[in-house]
Amino acid sequence: MAMYVQGFLIPVPEDKKNAYLALAKKSAEKFREYGVSEIVETWEDNVTDGKLTDFRRAVKAEAREKIVFSWMIWPDKATCDAAEEKMESDPFWAEMSDMPFDGKRLIYGGFSPIYTMGRDS
């Protein structure tokens, strides 16, 4: 099974959890139209401080911010790349100007799996 994974690390103010969830659900429907096959959104539950680096330091999380760790599974990189192109001209995203987090501290990237357990095995 081919797949391409996008991962996200986002600092979100604790009091904006519901707003973030609403944004995630609304965005998920649009990403489904673009071809994403799975989205997982997780809210910080057990994020420990590391000795050199950690999730909180990676995004410069402030007091009263929680870490969201999420990922999207795409059928392949081509579908993901096509979705990014569609996003540039889709008016849907212009309406999403009131983000419940500081987008400048969001970290994301695309990944080609080298091993999976539970999906293909």
Side-chain angles (χ1 to χ4, degrees), residues 86-104:
K86 290 176 188 173
M87 288 177 69
E88 291 178 20
S89 61
D90 191 332
F92 174 86
W93 301 107
E95 300 168 11
M96 306 289 275
S97 60
D98 189 24
M99 298 298 214
F101 58 87
D102 179 0
K104 293 176 190 161

Side-chain angles (χ1 to χ4, degrees), residues 22-37:
L23 170 73
K25 289 179 178 180
K26 185 175 181 180
S27 298
E29 292 306 312
K30 183 55 75 170
F31 284 116
R32 182 187 314 257
E33 291 176 24
Y34 294 158
V36 77
S37 54

Side-chain angles (χ1 to χ4, degrees), residues 20-67:
Y20 179 83
L21 184 56
L23 170 73
K25 289 179 178 180
K26 185 175 181 180
S27 298
E29 292 306 312
K30 183 55 75 170
F31 284 116
R32 182 187 314 257
E33 291 176 24
Y34 294 158
V36 77
S37 54
E38 178 180 317
I39 296 176
V40 177
E41 300 280 354
T42 64
W43 188 259
E44 175 183 339
D45 180 38
N46 182 19
V47 175
T48 57
D49 293 339
K51 290 184 179 183
L52 296 178
T53 191
D54 54 48
F55 282 113
R56 299 189 65 72
R57 282 188 264 190
V59 294
K60 296 185 178 183
E62 299 171 358
R64 294 181 300 281
E65 284 184 328
K66 294 291 187 177
I67 304 302

